[in-house]
Amino acid sequence: MTAPHADSADNVTRLAPADRALCDGCQQLALPSFAQVDAVMPWTARRMRRGTYLHRAGMPASAVYVVRFGCLKSSIPGDSGEELVLDFPMRGDLIGADALAGQPCATDVIALEDSEVMALPLADFEEACASLPELRQDLYRHLGAALRKEREHLKRLGGMRAAQRVARFLFELSTRYASFGQSSRAFYLRMSRAEIGSYLGLTLESVSRLLSRMHDEGLIKVNLRQVELLDVDALRAIAIGPEPKTTDSLPLQAAA
């Protein structure tokens, strides 16, 4: 059996000293202390074309990454070709806790659009932590945030109706894009409906049906993957719940 491998055709370049400040603030979003590290910090900028892998499940984990721009997908591959989508890392997100635990990569991470990540080899990360305690504190903060996000996601899967899951997902994307200085009302879905369904614990058909109903009721405007939030208050009402246990003859705002 061939060992898993990432796509070797990705463009990988070493940052020039003048570029280490990363004017877009990427590392400040994820690990603020990185900005204090000496200019010899061995960051590597890795450009990823859409559809290429950062790493595959089973690969040796040797680096931590911060997304500089773009959108990726983290998933667990199934035995029959299906996948379980775990997250959609975007700008400022940390990837690579497997390396810190000394474990192989547990997930496939693929670019959903042309993206760039900043890679820091594990050996250099440990050295940086030894000389800069703030870096380790940043790591703890991010691991804690990741655990909280995971708990919230499990809560969503276990206790929220389908409409609430989709509405909250749209609001989360809206918040992320706003934090990037982009429109919080109109944005492009980098992920497919099937990928959204896998992430939310729903079928492709359920996601498509709910988006269509939200469109028909004037809550959102959908054109293929382009989404515009129209009635934010009504959409928020769905997202925050609570929703009734029965849905017969109820509008989408209350129905799953």
Side-chain angles (χ1 to χ4, degrees):
M1 178 178 178
T2 303
H5 64 281
D7 299 82
S8 59
D10 295 347
N11 182 26
V12 180
T13 57
R14 180 74 64 180
L15 281 182
D19 294 330
R20 297 186 188 278
L22 297 179
C23 62
D24 59 7
C26 158
Q27 85 280 31
Q28 282 79 12
L29 286 173
L31 297 165
S33 56
F34 275 20
Q36 306 173 35
V37 179
D38 186 80
V40 298
M41 188 74 167
W43 279 111
T44 299
R46 179 170 181 173
R47 289 288 179 92
M48 300 178 61
R49 295 188 302 273
R50 176 185 177 187
T52 58
Y53 285 90
L54 178 63
H55 57 65
R56 305 296 299 270
M59 286 180 55
S62 59
V64 293
Y65 307 90
V66 177
V67 182
R68 189 179 186 191
F69 63 79
C71 180
L72 296 85
K73 177 183 66 176
S74 174
S75 64
I76 298 176
D79 295 335
S80 303
E82 77 285 358
E83 64 175 0
L84 174 61
V85 176
L86 301 179
D87 199 7
F88 298 106
M90 301 173 72
R91 177 183 169 186
D93 285 341
L94 181 70
I95 303 173
D98 299 323
L100 299 172
Q103 299 296 319
C105 297
T107 62
D108 289 346
V109 177
I110 189 172
L112 297 181
E113 62 177 338
D114 290 349
S115 305
E116 181 175 299
V117 300
M118 307 305 298
L120 181 63
L122 182 58
D124 297 309
F125 184 87
E126 294 290 353
E127 182 178 350
C129 284
S131 60
L132 190 67
E134 293 88 346
L135 182 58
R136 194 175 299 277
Q137 294 171 7
D138 282 340
L139 174 62
Y140 293 156
R141 176 174 59 85
H142 271 270
L143 292 178
L147 288 174
R148 288 193 298 272
K149 181 178 180 180
E150 183 177 339
R151 285 196 298 268
E152 286 299 313
H153 188 56
L154 291 175
K155 177 182 176 182
R156 169 193 291 159
L157 296 181
M160 295 183 184
R161 297 177 184 272
Q164 190 175 0
R165 298 182 201 181
V166 173
R168 186 161 295 196
F169 177 73
L170 293 176
F171 263 108
E172 289 175 354
L173 286 180
S174 172
T175 301
R176 292 301 302 272
Y177 287 124
S179 72
F180 304 154
Q182 302 176 18
S183 173
S184 62
R185 291 292 191 102
F187 45 85
Y188 183 82
L189 295 175
R190 271 68 180 180
M191 59 292 295
S192 69
R193 283 158 173 70
E195 290 166 337
I196 294 172
S198 178
Y199 178 65
L200 297 179
L202 302 172
T203 64
L204 163 64
E205 293 76 16
S206 293
V207 173
S208 298
R209 181 173 62 253
L210 284 165
L211 290 175
S212 295
R213 290 174 61 186
M214 290 177 179
H215 175 93
D216 293 341
E217 295 193 5
L219 306 183
I220 64 175
K221 181 179 180 180
V222 181
N223 181 16
L224 299 178
R225 292 196 183 189
Q226 192 69 38
V227 174
E228 182 178 358
L229 308 187
L230 299 178
D231 192 336
V232 175
D233 291 338
L235 198 62
R236 183 180 293 110
I238 301 173
I240 64 176
E243 297 178 352
K245 295 181 179 180
T246 59
T247 60
D248 295 341
S249 303
L250 291 176
L252 178 61
Q253 284 86 337

